[in-house]
Amino acid sequence: MLLAQQGAATVSTGEAVSFWVLGPLALAGALGMIFARNAVHSALFLVMTMLSLGCIYMVQQAPFLGFVQIIVYTGAIMMLFLFVLMLVGRDASDSVVEVLRGQRLWAGVLGVGLAVLITGAVARSLIDVTDQGLAADTANGGRGNVANIGQLIFSDYLFPFELTSALLITAAVGAMVLGYVNREQRGRRTQKELVEARFRGEHDRPSPLPGPGVFATANSVATPALLPDGSVAPESLSRLIESTTADKLAAERESVAGTGPAAGTRALAPGKEESR
Amino acid sequence: MSVMSSVLFLAQVQPVPSPAPAKIDPPALDAVWPILIVLAAACVGVLFEAFLPRHQRWPAQVALSLLALAGAGVALATYLSDAPEAGEMAMFNTLAVDRPALFLWGTLLALSVGAVLLIADRSVEPGGAFVATAAIRPGTVQDRAQVTATGMQTEVFPLTLFALGGMMIFCAANDLLTMFIALEVLSLPLYLMCGLARRRRLLSQEAAVKYFLLGAFASAFFLYGVALLYGYAGSVRLADISAAAAGTDRSDTLLFAGMGLLVVGLLFKASVGPFHTWTPDVYQGAPTPVTAFMAACTKVAAFGGILRVLQVAFESTQWEWRGVLWGVAIASMVIGAILGLTQTDVKRMIAYSSVAHAGFLLIGAIALTDRGLSGTLFYLLTYGFTTLAAFGVISLVRDSSGEATHLSQWAGLAKRSPLVAGVFTFLLLALAGIPLTSGFVGKFVVFEAAIDDGMAPLVVIALVASAVAAFFYLRVIVLMYFSEPAADGPTVTVPGAFTTAAITLGVLVTLLLGILPSFALDWAAGGAFAIR
């Protein structure tokens, strides 16, 4: 604003109003970015600052710069920033422990130095700057900077501009090469493929293994499942866990069927000799 | 009212009575067909990846790449037959197609044929030197399962072509902006290809990450230099920078700061002197065919860029910066020769040898005469073919875990395979610069040009450095011939047609340029850079 006032007396009301609306907004966004506790809010405040700056550029006769500011900074970079924040986790907070000795002191000194430099540059631009008259018809060859940039991109810089497409293709191919694993190469099959494979006989049996039996007395995985004829289904037992229940059951079945070892002649009580 | 006027104000940003823009004529393409063919073939290769079934990709990609190289070579030869002597500007002055550029294009295309043959080989390592699926993490169950899988990431072929296209543009770029984009176009595929080795994948990926990080750092240097030079000259065009440096009272700080940063970026790519730290690790970790491609072609492209920048943009200020580059050349030769002595790995040894060779090349590059230019171009040609064949031979000596690159494993190799040992001996002698090999002629012309330009002390240092470097080449030869082979030593694989062809090409060119160098020297001395 000051700059504009100093440069020429041609500041229109519209420009003044837009400056006084956008300037405080940009400043508020910048302050909000620093003081917001939530990282996402911080990023959104920065977006607000960028948007306001973009609009100010457009008011200042730099439409290309304004749109680039909005498209590149606000659109691309800040959205990438938000993605990263979301990936890292919104609640992740930085450690406030100083890793480098004297970091804060030096940060403060350098920050003040930077502020002095910027103030100096801005002050100089306020004292002696001449109006280039960008709004005039003769500025930029009379065609405005957007048309001029367009002409340069399609003439002098056509080749480098097109060459960047090779860069983009390489980047895309590289992302595919380093990131994409084909499903069959990963070695995992879908449920449907597994079912078909089972019925084709690639596995021992088409159905899953039977679960353990549940008796009134136990729900351990060592409890055997019973087949319809009352015998133990061997597949329901783990090969690793010793199943007392199954052994007991088998012994009882044998004694009932009378196929077990016969009692010795000296046994005091028949059948008791084998008990454990 | 105020808001309305603001909106109106925005609408008036572009003045209404704009004159009709000048009509832009399409650029003439006859000089740049080789580049366009290579880049178009790379794009077609990417489409092949998208649409061809997996088993057809390898034959299709190999055929496409070789056809593209042949086509580009034919286009180059056709253009060369009636090219203007002083060179011409193409693509709206962004490319300078002059004699040195055409010579470098021819060199790059011929070297790439050898490199593509090495990359395509599937007989030395079953399935090729590249991993079947790069996205599978090393060391996992799936990774162990894919060791036996035949098949490779055939994306390396289009990536190679993209890198080649970038290198060709880099040699011919007439402004720093084009040069920077070409630098990225040539680097990015190389970073990727370094990480795709089939064996020792962690080492390979580490090499890729190191190369990428350091390369990005060097690109930042380059870009900062370009920005400062733009600030100095108001243009990124090399000829404009030269004109601005020749006769102005502008502050030299911007010029020399910009030049320093720019040259650091360039020297990094050429793995010169103190900017070589990436070279041994990357040469060792990358798949050997990629190392061959990188060692041969990147060196050619990077020195093409260095020659053009120094001769076109900074010739008028040479007395200010020449001393610094003297120091860099000495550092490079000393580092390469001395650290090369201590290496126990063949690939690392060749890497340090390439650092020493970069120092010799830099001597030719700072002799800003026509003879310096033609000598450096010739040296690049000889060095590229010798290195390509050397890495081809290294890929043949293998044991159960892949390539046997440790020097102790090479002991007594001549008793196992006299032919391979003989070929490797010849290539090492060429790298050392023994007469009757191309390396001797290359060193001779470069040193001669340097002495002509008053750099005799530098040449003396270079001769001492080449004597030291010759020692570690001879050490390998002695090891191969006069040691007993270890009982469980490596075997020498009988290569298939592709690798045989690549090694034969390299060896034949090395021999031919050693015996009859005059025709290639004439080509290299065809003309100077076009300054416009």
Side-chain angles (χ1 to χ4, degrees):
Chain A
M1 180 65 192
L2 286 172
L3 173 70
Q5 275 182 342
Q6 203 273 338
T10 55
V11 178
S12 65
T13 328
E15 190 177 354
V17 168
S18 57
F19 175 81
W20 285 112
V21 173
L22 293 169
L25 269 181
L27 204 59
L31 290 175
M33 190 203 83
I34 294 174
F35 292 113
R37 286 197 171 274
N38 190 324
V40 175
H41 293 173
S42 227
L44 289 175
F45 273 123
L46 190 57
V47 168
M48 187 170 92
T49 305
M50 301 277 188
L51 277 175
S52 314
L53 288 181
C55 294
I56 291 180
Y57 291 153
M58 285 186 233
V59 174
Q60 300 268 333
Q61 303 296 325
F64 182 77
L65 186 61
F67 278 108
V68 165
Q69 171 88 12
I70 290 175
I71 294 170
V72 175
Y73 275 100
T74 322
I77 296 180
M78 285 316 297
M79 289 309 117
L80 206 64
F81 220 87
L82 279 179
F83 275 142
V84 173
L85 278 182
M86 298 293 183
L87 283 178
V88 171
R90 182 171 70 76
D91 298 325
S93 58
D94 282 337
S95 154
V96 287
V97 180
E98 274 190 59
V99 185
L100 304 173
R101 184 186 281 273
Q103 190 182 6
R104 288 186 197 186
L105 177 71
W106 283 109
V109 169
L110 293 178
V112 170
L114 183 68
V116 169
L117 274 181
I118 292 178
T119 317
V122 170
R124 206 177 120 204
S125 75
L126 291 180
I127 294 163
D128 55 7
V129 70
T130 46
D131 186 5
Q132 293 290 323
L134 290 180
D137 286 348
T138 52
N140 290 322
R143 277 186 287 139
N145 54 11
V146 177
N148 280 330
I149 286 171
Q151 171 136 22
L152 277 181
I153 285 180
F154 283 100
S155 61
D156 283 5
Y157 294 102
L158 174 73
F159 189 61
F161 187 70
E162 293 292 330
L163 194 58
T164 47
S165 66
L167 218 50
L168 291 178
I169 296 173
T170 310
V173 170
M176 288 285 287
V177 167
L178 295 181
Y180 174 69
V181 184
N182 213 344
R183 199 192 305 118
E184 59 256 38
Q185 282 174 318
R186 205 193 280 140
R188 266 188 226 151
R189 293 196 277 188
T190 59
Q191 200 173 10
K192 191 180 171 194
E193 285 165 342
L194 269 179
V195 167
E196 285 172 359
R198 280 201 180 105
F199 277 94
R200 279 204 209 94
E202 284 182 31
H203 291 243
D204 292 340
R205 49 185 292 149
S207 64
L209 291 171
V214 178
F215 294 159
T217 54
N219 54 1
S220 140
V221 284
T223 314
L226 296 185
L227 292 174
D229 63 346
S231 61
V232 172
E235 289 149 322
S236 69
L237 292 171
S238 164
R239 258 170 298 170
L240 301 176
I241 303 172
E242 189 180 322
S243 173
T244 321
T245 335
D247 291 348
K248 216 184 271 178
L249 190 75
E252 274 174 20
R253 278 177 57 86
E254 280 171 4
S255 70
V256 168
T259 53
T265 47
R266 291 204 204 159
L268 293 175
K272 291 285 178 189
E273 197 180 33
E274 312 297 328
S275 66
R276 299 151 204 150
Chain B
M1 156 60 195
S2 56
V3 176
M4 274 307 289
S5 74
S6 162
V7 171
L8 281 178
F9 197 87
L10 281 174
Q12 283 171 1
V13 160
Q14 284 201 10
V16 186
S18 65
K23 191 169 178 302
I24 302 169
D25 292 324
L29 294 179
D30 50 346
V32 292
W33 272 118
I35 290 177
L36 296 184
I37 289 174
V38 168
L39 288 179
C43 294
V44 174
V46 173
L47 290 180
F48 277 8
E49 286 301 315
F51 292 110
L52 283 186
R54 193 165 288 277
H55 63 278
Q56 287 179 6
R57 287 183 199 167
W58 183 85
Q61 294 282 19
V62 174
L64 176 73
S65 307
L66 291 177
L67 272 180
L69 293 177
V74 168
L76 182 64
T78 340
Y79 174 73
L80 203 56
S81 60
D82 58 355
E85 192 64 34
E88 66 173 308
M89 298 293 147
M91 287 289 183
F92 301 107
N93 285 335
T94 47
L95 291 179
V97 188
D98 42 26
R99 290 290 160 158
L102 291 171
F103 182 87
L104 289 166
W105 286 3
T107 310
L108 283 172
L109 286 172
L111 288 172
S112 299
V113 171
V116 166
L117 288 176
L118 284 179
I119 288 172
D121 189 280
R122 294 198 294 188
S123 61
V124 176
E125 166 94 56
F130 295 90
V131 68
T133 308
I136 292 177
R137 281 208 264 160
T140 54
V141 182
Q142 292 86 356
D143 186 44
R144 283 194 287 279
Q146 73 163 348
V147 167
T148 51
T150 56
M152 60 191 263
Q153 297 261 215
T154 41
E155 285 90 350
V156 287
F157 293 102
L159 289 177
T160 308
L161 289 180
F162 272 126
L164 175 65
M167 290 168 185
M168 292 170 73
I169 297 163
F170 192 72
C171 297
N174 193 34
D175 64 63
L176 294 172
L177 198 63
T178 313
M179 200 175 242
F180 175 70
I181 296 172
L183 178 73
E184 292 302 307
V185 171
L186 84 87
S187 306
L188 209 54
L190 285 178
Y191 301 148
L192 265 168
M193 284 154 65
C194 279
L196 298 183
R198 178 179 288 260
R199 309 284 193 123
R200 302 190 182 120
R201 291 189 59 202
L202 278 178
L203 206 62
S204 165
Q205 295 190 345
E206 184 194 332
V209 169
K210 273 185 184 167
Y211 195 19
F212 172 65
L213 288 180
L214 290 176
F217 199 48
S219 292
F221 271 96
F222 188 96
L223 199 56
Y224 199 3
V226 173
L228 292 185
L229 286 173
Y230 181 76
Y232 175 76
S235 164
V236 286
R237 194 159 291 168
L238 294 176
D240 290 350
I241 294 171
S242 169
T248 55
D249 52 352
R250 281 178 250 206
S251 146
D252 279 346
T253 315
L254 273 182
L255 174 69
F256 291 117
M259 183 200 165
L261 292 167
L262 184 79
V263 169
V264 165
L266 288 168
L267 294 179
F268 173 88
K269 273 291 153 208
S271 70
V272 180
F275 315 103
H276 70 285
T277 40
W278 59 276
T279 319
D281 288 343
V282 174
Y283 276 29
Q284 187 188 17
T288 308
V290 174
T291 313
F293 178 60
M294 208 158 55
C297 295
T298 312
K299 192 80 88 187
V300 173
F303 269 99
I306 290 176
L307 280 169
R308 186 177 291 278
V309 164
L310 292 185
Q311 294 221 345
V312 175
F314 299 116
E315 193 179 9
S316 53
T317 47
Q318 53 170 307
W319 298 112
E320 276 84 358
W321 53 257
R322 214 168 181 190
V324 179
L325 286 189
W326 266 57
V328 172
I330 292 172
S332 185
M333 292 184 293
V334 170
I335 289 172
I338 300 213
L339 290 184
L341 281 177
T342 63
Q343 299 306 313
T344 53
D345 185 287
V346 181
K347 282 168 98 174
R348 288 182 84 87
M349 190 197 82
I350 304 277
Y352 277 106
S353 132
S354 92
V355 175
H357 280 281
F360 302 142
L361 281 161
L362 194 60
I363 295 178
I366 56 181
L368 297 179
T369 55
D370 285 351
R371 292 178 74 182
L373 171 66
S374 67
T376 314
L377 292 180
F378 181 81
Y379 198 117
L380 284 171
L381 177 71
T382 64
Y383 175 75
F385 277 103
T386 311
T387 315
L388 189 78
F391 279 111
V393 174
I394 288 173
S395 74
L396 297 182
V397 182
R398 313 179 70 83
D399 62 9
S400 58
S401 67
E403 285 162 9
T405 51
H406 198 271
L407 271 181
S408 65
Q409 292 171 295
W410 284 58
L413 198 74
K415 298 195 174 65
R416 287 177 198 276
S417 174
L419 179 65
V420 165
V423 167
F424 200 60
T425 303
F426 176 68
L427 294 170
L428 288 178
L429 290 179
L431 286 177
I434 306 293
L436 285 185
T437 61
S438 62
F440 172 73
V441 186
K443 281 205 177 67
F444 185 81
V445 288
V446 165
F447 293 164
E448 192 191 16
I451 289 178
D452 262 8
D453 207 31
M455 296 195 287
L458 198 54
V459 172
V460 171
I461 296 172
L463 286 175
V464 173
S466 21
V468 175
F471 176 75
F472 64 75
Y473 300 126
L474 290 176
R475 196 179 55 161
V476 178
I477 297 173
V478 169
L479 195 68
M480 285 195 300
Y481 279 93
F482 302 111
S483 298
E484 279 306 308
D488 54 345
T491 53
V492 174
T493 315
V494 177
F498 282 173
T499 298
T500 314
I503 296 175
T504 314
L505 176 75
V507 172
L508 279 186
V509 172
T510 305
L511 186 64
L512 192 68
L513 294 180
I515 299 170
L516 295 169
S518 51
F519 72 100
L521 282 171
D522 287 345
W523 284 345
F529 286 115
I531 302 175
R532 249 166 280 168

